[in-house]
């Protein structure tokens, strides 16, 4: 039988407190107990300071969550250089999807706040450079990036959300009015999330290539 041991870190004194130290402790708390356990009061207690002390470093819990999201995006595993531009873009957004699936609590943060960590910017830089290779101008690069980002966040939200228990309302639909909904109901219920993501990503990249 093996036992996992946890390294015990000395708690910082208030004079040693920095934003990085606070985010380190927040990440450790989340890894141990989950995002629902994260509160400014609990985090302050673990750091051995008063809750108001933390507000000198982060103005709100949302700001702390944004900093934590940026920390997790430092895990982004970017594709190797030198790929076809489509493969490079797809590789970045596959990596983004992986981070969301590993840390689904980041989804509402990414959907509502601008993330500004180095990991995020590294991913964006690779995507922007790849999208310029087929000749897109600046506005088109930004539009393509926004579409790919929105698709990836939305796909991950659906994948990590509550799984639909069938489509009971379909049985009451009129076949003449809803032939496609009824005809595709089986595919909707049995679709594989990863396959759906890859298919949607391919459609977006084909559309971008047509520009």
């Amino acid at each position: 039988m093996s036992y996992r041991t946890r390294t015990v870190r000395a708690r910082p004194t208030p004079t040693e407190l920095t934003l990085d130290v606070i985010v380190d402790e927040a990440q450790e708390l989340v890894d141990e107990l989950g995002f629902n356990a994260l509160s400014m009061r609990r985090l302050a207690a673990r750091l051995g300071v008063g809750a108001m002390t933390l507000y000198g470093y982060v103005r709100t819990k949302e700001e702390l969550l944004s900093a934590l999201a940026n920390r997790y995006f430092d895990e982004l595993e970017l594709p190797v250089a030198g790929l076809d531009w489509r493969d490079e873009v797809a590789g970045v957004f596959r990596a983004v999807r992986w981070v969301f699936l590993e840390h689904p609590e980041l989804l509402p943060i990414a959907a509502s706040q601008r993330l500004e960590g180095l990991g995020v910017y590294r991913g964006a830089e690779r995507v922007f450079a790849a999208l310029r290779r087929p000749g897109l101008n600046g506005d088109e690069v930004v539009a393509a990036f926004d579409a790919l980002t929105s698709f990836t966040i939305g796909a991950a939200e659906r994948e990590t959300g509550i799984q639909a228990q069938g489509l009971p309302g379909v049985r009451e639909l009129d076949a003449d009015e809803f032939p496609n909904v009824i005809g595709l109901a089986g595919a909707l219920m049995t679709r594989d999330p990863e396959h759906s993501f890859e298919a949607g990503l391919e459609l977006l990249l084909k559309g971008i290539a047509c520009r």
Side-chain angles (χ1 to χ4, degrees), residues 22 47 61-62 69 122 172 181:
I22 292 169
L47 289 165
K61 181 180 176 181
E62 287 68 31
R122 287 190 184 102
E172 281 72 49
V181 173

Side-chain angles (χ1 to χ4, degrees), residues 98-114:
W98 179 87
V99 172
F100 283 137
L101 295 184
E102 286 291 303
H103 311 288
E105 296 86 352
L106 301 181
L107 282 162
I109 303 170
S112 63
Q113 301 183 47
R114 186 183 300 278

Side-chain angles (χ1 to χ4, degrees), residues 91-146:
V92 172
F93 283 98
R94 288 185 187 115
V96 171
R97 171 178 172 268
W98 179 87
V99 172
F100 283 137
L101 295 184
E102 286 291 303
H103 311 288
E105 296 86 352
L106 301 181
L107 282 162
I109 303 170
S112 63
Q113 301 183 47
R114 186 183 300 278
L115 302 182
E116 299 179 334
L118 282 177
V120 173
Y121 282 132
R122 287 190 184 102
E125 179 64 26
R126 291 288 295 276
V127 172
F128 291 164
L131 290 173
R132 284 192 179 277
R133 293 211 293 272
L136 271 65
N137 63 36
D139 289 341
E140 290 170 332
V141 167
V142 171
F145 180 78
D146 283 346

Side-chain angles (χ1 to χ4, degrees), residues 52-73:
M52 293 306 298
T53 301
L54 297 186
Y55 289 106
Y57 298 87
V58 286
R59 291 170 294 179
T60 63
K61 181 180 176 181
E62 287 68 31
E63 192 172 294
L64 171 63
L65 290 172
S66 181
L68 186 56
N70 285 324
R71 175 68 59 81
Y72 281 119
F73 270 99

Side-chain angles (χ1 to χ4, degrees), residues 149-200:
T149 299
S150 297
F151 167 71
T152 302
I153 292 173
E157 283 181 323
R158 288 179 64 86
E159 187 169 351
T160 59
I162 299 174
Q163 299 298 314
Q165 300 298 316
L167 298 169
V170 169
R171 296 189 182 90
E172 281 72 49
L173 295 178
D174 182 271
D176 293 330
E177 186 177 358
F178 300 99
N180 289 294
V181 173
I182 294 171
L184 293 171
L188 285 169
M189 288 188 292
T190 59
R191 65 187 184 278
D192 174 70
E194 184 168 1
H195 175 77
S196 294
F197 174 77
E198 291 292 334

